[in-house]
Amino acid sequence: MGASGTEFDAEYGADQIQILEGLEAVRKRPGMYIGSTSVRGLHHLVYEIVDNAVDEALAGYCDKIQVDINKDNSITVTDNGRGIPVGINHKAGLPAVEVVFTILHAGGKFGGGGYKVSGGLHGVGASVVNALSEWLEVEIANEGKIYKQRYERGKVCYKLRVDRECEPELRGTKVTFLPDKEIFEETVFDYNTLKQRFREMAFLTKGLKIHLRDLREEEIHEHIFHYEGGIKEFVTYLNKSKTALYEQIIYCEGMKDNVAVEVAMQHNDSYNETTYGFVNNITTPEGGTHIAGFRSALTKVFNDYGKKNKLLKENEQLSGEDIREGLTAIVSVKIEDPQFEGQTKQKLGNSEARGAVDNIVRTQLEIFLEQNPSVAKMIIEKSVMAQRAREAARKARDLTRRKSALEGMSLPGKLADCSDKDPSKCEIYIVEGDSAGGSAKTARDRATQAILPLRGKILNVEKARLDKIYGNAEIKAMITAFGTGIHEDFDISKLRYHKIIIMTDADVDGAHISTLLLTFLYRFMPDLIKEGYVYLAQPPLYKLEKNKKVWYAYSDDELNQILTEVGRDSNNKIQRYKGLGEMDAEQLWETTMDPERRILLRVTMDEETTSEVDLTFTTLMGDQVEPRRVFHSPRMTKKVKNLDI
C-alpha cells in the first residue's frame, strides 16, 4: 500500500483488544443496556428495579411496592415480596444477592423454576442499575433479620451482613440508589414521568398497590395506584374524555397453550382506534402476534354475527378497520418465554400468542354479543357508517396520492418549493396566514427552505371522519407537499423535507393552530414525530432598539436580562410582536429562519407512554368540555392569579 510508518502510528495488535470484566462493560456502553444516557435512560433505572418487584407480584408473592424520590434525587424502592435470596450461590461462591447486583448475566428467571412469567431477567436489570449508580444499598428482610450490602459504582463496599433484627413475619427487599452524574446528562427525576409509568403498571397487575412519593419539596407529592378491576379500569381511564357507545366493558380472560390472555375493550364516539398490547406487563408499541390474534378474532366474530342476525347483507363484509373505529382496547398476555423482535422489546414474535388470543377472544366475544344484542347492533351500525365514510375517503384520497414529486403531479398552489431535491438538506415551513407566508417567502433561503402558508385554522382531526379530513384543502396541501402519503399508504422514505417546521404567531391563536397541526401529524403521520422530523419555530416576542443597536428577546425573562445589561432609560424602544406579519422579511430571517441563529424546538414522543399522549390529545381536542376543564385547572391555578374557574 506504500504507507509510511509515520502516517499510521497507532498499533493494532493482540494487546489492543480490551477485555471488559464484570460491570465495566455497562459503564463503557450504557446505551446498550438502558437505551440512552438521557432523561429517558435515567428513568429506565427505576423501572428496572420496580420491574423486579412487579415480577414478584406476578408470581403472587408481593402486593405492595413503594417508590420514593428522596431529597438528594436518589430513589428507594421497597416491596413486600420474598426478598432476594441471601444464601450462598455455590457456583459463584457468593451470596445470591451479591450475584444479582454484581454479575451481569445472573438470570434468576431462566429455567422456569423461580418465576412462571417475568418481564425482566433478574440480575441483568439490577446489576446494570448498580453499575450506573454512584452508590446502591440493598436491604433484605428474611426470617427476623435485615441483611444489608452497599456498592459504589458497582464495586462491593462490604460483605453481606446482618444489619439489625426485625419482626419474623416481615419480608421483602429495599433498594436505594443514586444515579451516577458521570454517566447521565441529567440526574433529576421527573415525578410525572414515573407517575404515568406506575399507573400503567398498576392497571396491568390487578390488586397490586404502587405508592409513589416525591420527598424533594416541603409539601410531599404522592399518588397511590391500586386497581382491583385491572385492565377494565384501564379502559375506563382511557375513555374518560370520550363518550362510550355502551356502558359495559367487554372483558375476555383465559388460558390456552400456556399463554394467559386478558382483553378489555369498549367503543366510544371518536374515530380513532387505540389498542395497546402488553406482554408480561411490558408495552409493545409495535404490536406483534398477540395484537394480530386479537384483530383477526374481532373481524371474524362481528362479520359472522352481523350476517347471522341480518344486520349485514350476504355480500357485505366489514373490514377490521371499520370495526375498530372508536375502539379502546387493552390486550395483555403472560408468556413463560417471550420472544421479542428486536432488542428493545417493541414487538412480540411468539406464534402461540396469536392462536391463544384469537381463540379466547373469539369464544368469549361471541357469547357476549349473543347476550347483549343491543350492544352488538350499535357496534355494527357504527362500523357500517365507518365503511361508507372510508369508501368516500378512498375516492378523496386518490386525489392526494403522489408517488413522487417528479411524476408530473402538481404540488399545492400555495407551496413555494425549494430548489434542492435532497430531503436531508430541505426544510418546509408551515406558516399561519398568507401575510406571514409572504414575508417568509421573501426571507427564505430558496435552495433549501420551502414555505407552505395555511389559511385560517385547519380542521380538528380528532372530531372528524376520514372522508371529511381528505376533503379539507389545507390538509390536502400538507399531505401532497410532504409526499409520504397517509395511513396505509404512508412511506417515510418518500418524505421530501427532513425538517417540518411549524411557524405560528406567539399568541393564543398561534398556539391553537400549532396544536391542531400536531394533532393531525400525531394521528395520521406519527412516524414523522417518532423519527424527530417535526419542529416548532420560536419567533421572538420583543424587539429592543437603543442607540441604533437591535436586540431580540424570546421571553419576558430574556427581555429583563437585556434591559439590565443595556440600562433602563428613555432611549429604549421596545416592540412587542403580536404576530409574524409584523416583522419584515429581514427580521423574520434574522430571528426565526436563519439556521445559524434561530431557535427550534424538536417535537418528540416516548413510545412507552403512548397511552398518556393519546389521552392528552383526546382531552384537549375532543368533544367533551369537562375533562378539558379538569386538565387545565391545576395547571392554570399554579401559574395565574385571579383566575375565575
Side-chain angles (χ1 to χ4, degrees), residues 399-410:
L399 303 171
T400 59
R401 262 193 188 148
R402 273 175 62 247
K403 293 286 178 271
S404 145
L406 307 168
E407 272 184 16
M409 273 197 68
S410 63

Side-chain angles (χ1 to χ4, degrees), residues 321 390 397 466 470 485-491 523-525:
E321 270 189 304
R390 208 172 294 279
R397 189 171 63 211
L466 269 178
Y470 282 122
I486 185 171
H487 262 332
E488 62 262 35
D489 297 329
F490 183 82
D491 180 356
R523 289 295 184 208
F524 290 89
M525 302 177 176

Side-chain angles (χ1 to χ4, degrees), residues 13 27 45 57 128 130 152 156 193 202 214 263 397 405 416-417 496 516 519 557 574 580 592:
R27 291 186 63 81
L45 295 184
V128 165
N130 190 15
E152 286 177 4
V156 176
T193 305
D214 190 345
V263 175
R397 189 171 63 211
D417 208 0
R496 300 180 61 239
L516 288 164
T519 308
D557 290 345
I574 298 176
L580 298 167
T592 319

Side-chain angles (χ1 to χ4, degrees), residues 429 432 501-507 510 514 536-542 552-555 558 576-581 583 587-588 591-593 598-601:
Y429 277 87
E432 170 190 352
I501 303 166
I502 298 170
M503 187 160 75
T504 58
D505 295 348
D507 59 8
S514 300
L536 295 171
Q538 293 296 99
L541 283 179
Y542 300 99
Y552 293 103
Y554 292 82
S555 65
E558 198 176 343
R576 164 79 162 89
Y577 289 121
K578 291 185 197 67
L580 298 167
M583 290 185 220
Q587 289 171 341
L588 191 60
T591 60
T592 319
M593 293 179 74
R598 70 189 178 190
I599 299 171
L600 293 182
L601 294 180

Side-chain angles (χ1 to χ4, degrees), residues 152-217:
E152 286 177 4
R153 296 200 165 97
K155 303 275 191 295
V156 176
C157 293
Y158 51 77
K159 284 196 161 53
L160 184 71
R161 65 185 188 206
V162 175
D163 191 61
R164 58 192 185 275
E165 304 279 310
C166 68
E167 303 292 318
E169 62 272 8
L170 190 68
R171 57 194 185 104
T173 309
K174 177 179 177 183
V175 178
T176 305
F177 65 92
L178 180 69
D180 194 342
K181 289 182 182 64
E182 291 175 12
I183 301 275
F184 292 96
E185 300 156 22
E186 177 69 64
T187 53
V188 177
F189 286 97
D190 179 43
Y191 182 78
N192 285 328
T193 305
L194 293 174
K195 184 178 85 178
Q196 288 172 10
R197 175 68 179 237
F198 296 149
R199 179 188 283 120
E200 200 165 90
M201 278 184 181
F203 277 130
L204 291 163
T205 318
K206 56 180 167 199
L208 174 65
K209 187 185 280 184
I210 302 180
H211 185 181
L212 174 65
R213 294 194 303 182
D214 190 345
L215 310 174
R216 292 174 293 188
E217 290 173 26

